Every structure is written in structure tokens, then in C-alpha cells.
Amino acid sequence: MSMCKTTVAPSADGSLNLTSTFLRKNQCETRAMQLQPTERPGRYNYHSPHWGSIHSMSVVETNYDEYAVLYTQGIQGPHQDFRMASLYSRTKTLKDKLKEDFAAFCKSQGFTEDSIVFLPEPADKCINEPE
């Protein structure tokens, strides 16, 4: 596992297109999802084609210029709860304070210390190519 490159772009219908590119089996792979806004600002739903379920994604915190913290929850498979906290940054290097605050948020959501991971930067073209 290593960092991926993710872009978020608004759609004409008010949804957001979230596209991630990452290295998998020595190939750049891209996955896209369309986030549908809910009645609550900063909260989106998306359909997981793999699991056939709806996941809820919330923007927990952002300063728009530097980072965003997202929290996702849903069901994967028969009766398997899915929860994930993600830290998206506009740079590959994170400030220590940001990492500490993110880890504290994760712990407040019940994640254990060993489940909080900061992915290394890959030495591959998938995220290092200019747009």
C-alpha cells in the first residue's frame, strides 16, 4: 500500500466525482465514484458496485487549501460493517500536528493505534505525473 492521487471535481447535477489513481500489480489503476449530496452539507452517499451497498461519506474537517478529513461508513458483504477515516492532503508531506490531530480523530471513532496508517509515497509514475 502506498499513497494514491485523488481528484475531486463537481458535476453539473451537484454530485462530486472522486477519482483515485494508484499502483496495483505494477500498473497504474484508476477508480472513480460519484458522490451524491444529501440534505446535510458535507455529507455524501455513494453506491458500491462491488458490495451492492450504499456508503455514507462525511467531510469531518477541511481548510480547503491544505487538507480534508473524511469519514466513510457502510456495509460490505453480509453483516460486515465498514468504517474508514481518510486524510487527503494537497501535498505529499504532512505536518506533524495534522497527523497527530488525524490520529486523535481516528481514536475518538474507535480505531486502534495499529489500524491508523500513514501511507508511504510511492516512487512510481501514478501519482508523480503532472496533470
Side-chain angles (χ1 to χ4, degrees), residues 33 46 48 51 53-57 71-77 79-86 111:
M33 66 177 77
Y46 72 92
S48 170
W51 297 106
S53 59
I54 301 293
H55 288 76
S56 174
M57 181 181 287
Y71 182 74
T72 305
Q73 57 188 6
I75 304 291
Q76 288 192 187
H79 310 292
Q80 291 181 314
D81 289 340
F82 172 80
R83 298 179 314 122
M84 179 174 70
S86 303
F111 292 98

Side-chain angles (χ1 to χ4, degrees), residues 45-101:
N45 289 329
Y46 72 92
H47 176 260
S48 170
H50 180 76
W51 297 106
S53 59
I54 301 293
H55 288 76
S56 174
M57 181 181 287
S58 299
V59 179
V60 175
E61 182 179 341
T62 184
N63 72 358
Y64 296 99
D65 296 324
E66 204 174 346
Y67 71 93
V69 175
L70 298 153
Y71 182 74
T72 305
Q73 57 188 6
I75 304 291
Q76 288 192 187
H79 310 292
Q80 291 181 314
D81 289 340
F82 172 80
R83 298 179 314 122
M84 179 174 70
S86 303
L87 173 59
Y88 291 93
S89 174
R90 291 195 183 266
T91 64
K92 296 175 192 171
T93 305
L94 300 173
K95 294 178 182 175
D96 289 338
K97 174 77 167 121
L98 184 56
K99 290 168 79 172
E100 291 167 11
D101 290 349

Side-chain angles (χ1 to χ4, degrees), residues 5 125 127-131:
K5 177 181 177 179
K125 64 179 184 161
I127 73 165
N128 294 320
E129 290 179 339
E131 291 196 27

